[in-house]
């Protein structure tokens, strides 16, 4: 395991996504933009151990993985901007990123990356022995039937397949604990998957766990399930209303007051005291999304940086400067050729 | 009469119905957050948050409705029906026939639909014609706040399954989510007449299968639903300036279709253009023509529909989705004229 | 537990279905007719402990349950014959049996009875406290995503719901062991369901197990999962080709010989020796379906009869005569009023 | 030329393709038993038996096809697509656009369809028009053994997703399963010309979007696919006796449609009847009319389709499904004549 290399992968992704965030807020990117900020250690720990010919089945939050897997940052950025010279000619966008060359596919349909991973693994087993497939998803997706079917199918067909569950405890605004029966890794294990749970903010833990899991499945011992806990520092997608509420309560909540008032006093429904409690509960969503975004102690990059700074502060600064410059270069390249240079009309 | 936003009207109508009928429940993902006002008024006993598992909670809603509840399933986006089509197609829709007419499933599937904000083809479909193909399903697509509340009221009162589609470009809170309202630099084309408008003091059901003639016209008739109605109105206004009198019919429900209004207007103008944000082939645009043909009418015909999978880039999706320009081009083509438009 | 009553329920169902089989073979019933012959103890053990207002979500094999739950045998038979005065006016048929009065619904879509049970349970909890819902399915259905989603949903909503898995080890011709990862009841348990596994041929075991499970869920302690092993004595549906092959190899297999021969010698494909093995494997399906149908030791009715014969042989004969007569009466009634009395045209 | 049964032709064509192309695999429930001959020849490495979990194995087939395999997914009955619509609609069909034209999913979904043997509406649907509504899907529906093998050959060679629908009333082994052949008392209406017929020595692809004119006619044209083609031929033969010259066009693929043949024949007869076993509204029957209207043609129009959910009883389903009598009635209505038929 090379901390420096992993830190480089993670920081590159982080700075790239920070830049995407800026462009989104500037109105140059459309749609619902889901960032992987906070998940970098999971992506880096796994992707750094993949080999050519391995495949990626991603969900709606796949930018870090694709960057680390070698997709040109400029191609991604252009795609997000909807440009003809983007990765998918501007036709896919950030939820539908595809690269045949990298055997990488994405989906905006929750749960779909499960079967997608199975299909890649089937092709791997038959056409490219020794290669594996990886299926990426959040913990919310594990309640989708097709995902659970995929676990079963992978076990039945004994496929070279690594399932990676990035568990941030939330699906959009819903705490996943409240909508799940049983225990997640136990459930996966009951399908016959070998499982391992790691702290997704700890690059070492992820890397070691991924190593074990990947070796297991690559050597033909069947599918494996890596569960990695993490936090999203940019909420479900950028600018989600509940996050804006938390950050700027006055601006965001005041427009809601007339509606809330009507809901409090309108005929029919539960007693007033309960309604007050409901106001708390529904606005509490905002608070919890804020608390998620403030748990910076769980930031995989800060944690790693701390370690490396102690090791060789100069080297660290040099590396960071390089990455920063590289991202800036990509941004300049992309924006300078942005024919329109216009906001989304 | 007061004035309401499109999304508020729907939720206001639901609040009225829920207040009157304790059997009505709302089921869906993030429902406590997405339907804040209803949640405050009715709480978690009436608004049931779900895991991400559409097929099972829609399936459950079917039998729950058979056993006396009146569930409204909030599916978020209609695109997600693809993971939950079976309860709708093979169960809810078929129950009345299978049971010999003795049982039915009074459930509402409420979903947002439509594109125009650069979200890509897995999140911007319309699918109303696709859903209407299945016998036993009612499909309603309102174009303004008054119809939205009135059709939702009809949906919850209806004794068999209804799909209620709210177009995202009409519903304020979707734009809010998508960043259309808070990223000041973003321009999304939202038809003003559709997003805010007068609504009745008390909601009453608007019957399914009754179109609304938004504008009379003698030369041709534009048929549409949802955002397409507003694009049609815009096109008709342009045409008016060139002395072309275009009628606009808002079908309001895709199934059942208001065959009478379709035929009556066709008998007058003899020129039909269907503006249909659903996919071009095998859908609403063809069906409107077919029912008029079946009635023995002869007419000229064009359609302006979504041509293929919707790409991500705003620039590209505008070429694929219907819009006012494409409607005007179709008119020029149909009338074989040279209107300088 | 009243053995006599349970035996009566089971035998009534058995004789009714034997009569259905006859009518099917006579060409008076169309479609794919799935009989519950061999599952009677599971149906009787559960249904005898249900109360008015409880609900049944059935799959494609629900005749015994409906009979035991009090649907008029004549109404069922007329439905199977496609008559206007059938349970569903001849519009549903044997895979789509519905009775609002009995809160009973069926489905020909594998897995659908899971969510259907959840919906009935939700209505039970809210509208008829103290009542429960039951969801019936085979072990093959447990691989459908919607079924597993239903388990999860039932646990999350803490519903009064009994899942009953009738495990005959086969889905059509597929041994379920070969297409399942993990262990079935462990899987159900991992969702947070309380589970119990019983021998479905043993009415006492089923009854006691069902009693415990029903009490648990009826008293508000959440959903439960009863797993009952069984055998189908009439195969997947009546007259399934593989069963006919086993029973009458000459007649059924000879027409297949030219096709098999071509498949053995045609260019392309696996080596000849392997093809021969494949012939064995594919025809082996027939053998296994025969062996299933011969495992009469697992017949719940014979087992119970043995016990009752020892207890009071006279009473037994009397009871059997009565049931026989009753079924005959129903058959006569239905056939005499069968306007057409014709075969399916 | 030799003679083959419909079902044999399909499997024979697949055997030929599988022998030539090792990337082709077959995936489905009970595949070892349902596809006995293919199983003998190719074994369990090429025929993958699955758990009952259509959504995941169809989903897996999509990416497997993207990664170099050529999967044929045997879905058993097309009705079951309702539990597995998402991989098809939101993934396979959209990949080509989403990837900027750089990637595609060469997979075949093979499913039986159609009614007429008293199995009820959850097992007898046709759904070809419904599937054709989704841009990016090719939908083929053969009516005889030669087309069945030729279209299947085209399907496995095609570079994007194809749905291949085999009508149960044409495929011998389905009747076998359903008891139509071994319960001597059972009468099921099977079109003889469709079930057995001449086939080429070596299979070659029949291109999609090319209709076959089964019978020329000057007075009216019947358009159909599958069993409907044979019912149309039967109706045309009756009409011939009454000096009505009816043409019969076998569309063979629902998507793409052979617009040229549709328009050419309409230009001659000016009378269109679509015989479509899929549901009446928002489907093939309307689309055939729409493409002709778009081409500027004027014609009279009737359609004979499945009217609503298919009930179980043979007697009842015969009223709901298309049949020769219903076609003749439509002709009488269309021509406004009093043919004594
Ligand atoms: C089938 C389907 N249902 C619902 C959605 C809406 N949706 C998009 S992301 C998301 C939450 C996913 O949660 P999780 O899997 O935990 O991933 P996370 O976003 O937390 O990374 C939901 C509900 C969808 N895209 N697809
Ligand atoms: C969604 C779906 N897929 C496939 C089928 C075809 N099918 C009908 S019954 C059956 C086997 C079911 O096995 P199991 O659940 O064990 O029940 P059993 O028939 O053994 O009682 C299958 C595959 C179907 N009806 N629905
Ligand atoms: Mg999550
Ligand atoms: Mg079974």
């Amino acid at each position: 395991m090379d901390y420096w290399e992993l830190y480089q992968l993670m920081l590159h992704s982080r700075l790239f996504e920070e830049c995407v965030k800026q462009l989104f807020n500037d109105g140059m990117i459309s749609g619902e933009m889901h960032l992987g900020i906070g998940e970098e250690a999971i992506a880096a720990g796994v992707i750094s151990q993949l080999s050519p010919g391995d495949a990626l089945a991603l969900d709606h939050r796949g930018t870090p993985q694709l960057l680390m897997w070698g997709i040109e940052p400029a191609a991604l950025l252009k795609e997000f901007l909807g440009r003809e010279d983007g990765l998918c000619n501007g036709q896919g966008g950030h939820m539908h990123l595809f690269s045949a060359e990298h055997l990488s596919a994405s989906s905006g349909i929750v749960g779909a990356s499960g079967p997608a991973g199975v299909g890649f693994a089937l092709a791997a087993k038959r056409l490219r022995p020794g290669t594996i497939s990886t299926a990426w998803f959040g913990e919310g997706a594990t309640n989708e039937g097709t995902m659970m079917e995929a676990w079963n199918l992978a076990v039945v067909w004994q496929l070279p397949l690594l399932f990676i569950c990035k568990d941030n405890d939330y699906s959009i605004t819903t705490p996943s604990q409240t909508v799940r029966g049983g225990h997640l890794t136990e459930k996966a294990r009951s399908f016959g998957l070998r499982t391992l749970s790691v702290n997704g903010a700890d690059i070492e833990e992820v890397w070691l766990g991924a190593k074990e899991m990947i070796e297991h499945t690559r050597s033909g011992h069947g599918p494996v399930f890596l569960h990695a806990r993490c936090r999203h520092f940019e909420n479900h997608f950028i600018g989600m209303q509940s996050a804006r509420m938390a950050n700027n309560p006055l601006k965001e909540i005041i427009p809601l007051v007339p509606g809330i008032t009507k809901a409090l006093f309108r005929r029919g429904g539960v007693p007033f005291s309960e309604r007050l409690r409901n106001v708390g509960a529904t606005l509490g969503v905002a608070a919890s999304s804020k608390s998620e975004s403030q748990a910076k102690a769980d930031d995989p990059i800060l944690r790693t940086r701390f370690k490396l700074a102690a090791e060789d502060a100069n080297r660290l600064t040099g590396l960071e400067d390089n990455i920063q410059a590289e991202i800036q270069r990509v941004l300049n390249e992309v924006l300078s050729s942005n024919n329109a240079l216009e906001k989304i009309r | 009469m007061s004035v309401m936003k499109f999304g508020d009207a729907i939720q206001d109508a639901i609040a009225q119905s829920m207040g009157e009928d304790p059997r009505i429940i709302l089921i869906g993902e993030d429902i406590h957050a997405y339907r804040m006002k209803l949640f405050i008024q009715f709480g978690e006993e009436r608004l049931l948050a779900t895991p991400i598992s559409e097929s099972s909670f829609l399936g459950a809603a079917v039998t729950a409705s058979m056993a006396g509840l009146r569930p409204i399933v909030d599916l978020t986006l209609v695109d997600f029906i693809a993971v939950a089509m079976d309860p709708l197609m093979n169960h809810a829709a078929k129950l009345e026939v299978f049971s010999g007419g003795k049982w039915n499933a009074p459930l509402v599937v409420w979903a947002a639909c439509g594109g125009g904000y650069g979200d890509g083809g897995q999140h911007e479909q319309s699918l109303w014609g696709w859903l209407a193909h299945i016998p036993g399903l009612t499909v309603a697509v309102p174009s303004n706040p008054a119809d939205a509340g009135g059709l939702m009221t009809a949906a919850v009162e209806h004794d068999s399954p209804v799909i209620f589609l709210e177009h995202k470009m009409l519903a304020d809170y979707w734009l809010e989510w998508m960043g259309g309202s808070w990223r000041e630099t973003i321009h999304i084309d939202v038809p003003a007449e559709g997003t805010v408008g007068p609504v009745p003091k008390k909601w009453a059901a608007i019957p399914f299968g009754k179109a609304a003639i938004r504008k009379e016209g003698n030369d041709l008739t534009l048929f549409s639903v949802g955002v397409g109605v507003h694009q049609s109105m815009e096109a008709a206004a342009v045409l008016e300036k060139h002395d072309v009198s275009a009628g606009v019919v808002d079908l309001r429900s895709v199934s059942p279709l208001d065959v009478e209004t379709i035929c009556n207007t066709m008998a007058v103008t003899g020129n039909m253009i269907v503006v249909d944000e659903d996919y071009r082939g095998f859908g609403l645009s063809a069906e409107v023509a077919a029912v008029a043909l079946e009635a023995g009418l002869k007419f000229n015909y064009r359609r302006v529909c979504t041509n293929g999978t919707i790409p991500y880039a705003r620039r590209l999706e505008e070429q694929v989705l219907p819009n006012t320009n494409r409607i005007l081009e179709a008119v020029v083509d149909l009338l074989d004229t040279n209107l300088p438009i």
Side-chain angles (χ1 to χ4, degrees), chain A residues 144-163:
Chain A
E144 277 286 3
T146 203
M147 176 61 71
M148 296 185 273
E149 289 184 2
W151 300 346
N152 189 57
L153 204 53
V155 171
V156 167
W157 286 344
Q158 282 294 296
L159 295 177
L161 173 52
L162 168 63
F163 291 107

Side-chain angles (χ1 to χ4, degrees), chain B residues 23 25 59-71 95 103-107:
Chain B
R23 299 170 305 168
I25 56 171
V62 176
T63 43
S65 79
M66 292 161 65
L69 291 171
R70 292 255 165 186
L95 175 66
W103 212 353
N104 48 32
L107 97 151

Side-chain angles (χ1 to χ4, degrees), chain B residues 10-11 14-15 18 22-32 34-39 42-50 57 61 69-75 108 110 152 156:
Chain B
I10 298 172
Q11 295 188 46
I14 293 177
M18 286 182 80
R23 299 170 305 168
I24 301 172
I25 56 171
L26 216 69
I27 304 179
E29 293 155 22
D30 300 291
I31 195 94
H32 50 279
Y34 287 177
R35 309 301 175 194
M36 191 182 281
K37 282 175 283 182
L38 291 170
F39 184 79
F42 297 100
E44 63 182 15
E45 282 292 302
R46 302 283 293 281
L47 277 79
L48 280 69
T50 64
F57 66 75
L69 291 171
R70 292 255 165 186
I72 304 174
V73 175
D74 183 346
L75 192 68
V108 180
W110 174 17
M152 180 52 97
V156 297

Side-chain angles (χ1 to χ4, degrees), chain A residues 57 79 84 86-89 91-93 96 98-109 112 115-120 122-124 126-128 145-146 149-150 152-153 156-157:
Chain A
E79 184 63 25
E84 251 170 62
L87 180 68
C88 302
N89 302 2
Q91 296 177 195
H96 318 109
F98 292 90
S99 170
E101 191 193 333
H102 296 82
L103 277 179
S104 299
S106 314
S107 175
I109 303 295
V118 171
F120 278 144
L122 185 63
R126 305 177 72 94
L127 302 176
R128 289 173 287 276
T146 203
E149 289 184 2
N152 189 57
L153 204 53
V156 167
W157 286 344

Side-chain angles (χ1 to χ4, degrees), chain A:
Chain A
M1 195 190 81
D2 180 340
Y3 263 107
W4 290 94
E5 185 205 334
L6 292 167
Y7 183 67
Q8 179 159 357
L9 283 175
M10 292 194 289
L11 186 67
H12 184 257
S13 172
R14 172 70 57 93
L15 294 182
F16 181 84
E17 290 202 300
E18 294 285 2
C19 157
V20 168
K21 179 183 168 185
Q22 189 58 51
L23 292 173
F24 184 87
N25 285 331
D26 286 352
M28 299 185 67
I29 296 175
S30 67
E32 301 149 276
M33 181 79 233
H34 307 84
L35 298 178
I37 289 183
E39 298 187 344
E40 292 92 346
I42 311 176
V46 171
I47 302 276
S48 65
Q49 303 188 65
L50 297 184
S51 309
D54 290 347
L56 268 56
L58 300 161
D59 66 359
H60 52 287
R61 202 181 295 286
T63 309
Q65 291 90 324
L66 290 172
L67 276 175
M68 297 179 191
W69 190 220
I71 306 259
E72 280 298 317
L76 279 175
L77 208 51
K78 289 174 186 167
E79 184 63 25
F80 296 180
L81 294 170
R83 282 171 44 162
E84 251 170 62
D85 52 357
L87 180 68
C88 302
N89 302 2
Q91 296 177 195
H94 37 81
M95 267 197 287
H96 318 109
L97 298 164
F98 292 90
S99 170
E101 191 193 333
H102 296 82
L103 277 179
S104 299
S106 314
S107 175
I109 303 295
V110 170
S113 58
V118 171
F120 278 144
L122 185 63
K125 185 173 179 172
R126 305 177 72 94
L127 302 176
R128 289 173 287 276
T131 65
I132 70 166
S133 159
T134 57
W136 302 76
F137 46 88
E139 85 299 333
T142 63
N143 293 321
E144 277 286 3
T146 203
M147 176 61 71
M148 296 185 273
E149 289 184 2
W151 300 346
N152 189 57
L153 204 53
V155 171
V156 167
W157 286 344
Q158 282 294 296
L159 295 177
L161 173 52
L162 168 63
F163 291 107
I164 303 122
C165 177
K166 305 166 295 148
D167 183 349
N168 72 322
D169 259 346
Y170 279 92
S171 59
I172 311 193
T173 69
T174 303
S176 288
Q177 312 277 9
T178 64
V179 291
R180 180 197 302 134
H183 184 271
L184 179 47
T185 48
E186 247 171 56
K187 209 181 270 187
R189 206 152 45 237
S190 80
F191 284 77
L193 290 166
R194 185 188 180 106
T195 71
L196 187 72
S197 208
V198 296
N199 176 359
D202 183 328
I203 182 66
E204 185 172 357
E205 234 187 83
V206 175
W207 192 90
L208 289 173
K211 183 171 156 60
E212 182 191 328
M213 295 279 106
I214 289 173
E215 279 175 7
H216 186 90
T217 199
R218 199 185 289 286
S219 57
H221 293 98
V224 289
F225 186 98
L226 182 65
H227 173 253
R229 295 177 304 282
C230 62
R231 287 273 163 251
H232 292 164
F233 300 120
E234 291 298 339
N235 294 288
H236 180 66
F237 55 67
I238 316 183
M240 192 163 87
Q241 193 187 27
S242 59
R244 280 180 282 134
M245 271 192 219
N247 294 330
N248 199 343
L250 237 58
K251 171 153 182 267
E252 299 291 337
I253 296 184
I254 284 176
L256 302 176
V257 169
I260 292 181
T261 311
K262 185 163 182 189
L264 278 171
F265 294 103
R266 189 173 180 146
R267 259 178 103 105
V270 297
F272 186 72
S273 60
E274 214 171 298
R275 294 193 199 190
L276 281 180
R277 237 180 303 138
N278 292 341
V279 173
T282 192
L283 293 181
V285 166
S288 70
S289 69
K290 185 173 174 79
S291 82
E292 171 166 16
S293 70
Q294 284 183 329
K296 297 270 174 197
D298 293 326
D299 188 334
I301 293 188
L302 291 186
R303 286 171 71 121
T304 312
R305 188 177 197 286
F306 188 73
K307 199 177 175 86
L308 297 183
E311 208 176 289
D312 187 340
N314 278 348
R315 181 175 172 194
L316 181 64
T317 321
L319 182 141
E320 290 178 343
D321 288 350
N322 278 346
I323 296 174
Q324 183 83 59
E326 156 71 6
I327 295 288
Q328 193 58 50
R329 192 191 57 69
V330 167
L331 185 64
N332 290 345
E333 173 202 326
V334 168
L335 290 188
S336 71
S337 65
N338 207 27
N339 303 335
L341 253 182
E342 51 168 358
K343 316 291 182 210
I344 295 163
R345 331 161 308 110

Side-chain angles (χ1 to χ4, degrees), chain B residues 121-151:
Chain B
Q122 268 175 353
H123 288 68
E124 296 200 334
Q125 297 171 92
S126 292
L127 300 181
W128 44 64
W130 194 61
L131 293 165
H133 180 67
I134 309 298
L137 299 180
T138 296
V139 182
V141 188
S143 71
N144 62 49
D147 282 4
L151 288 168

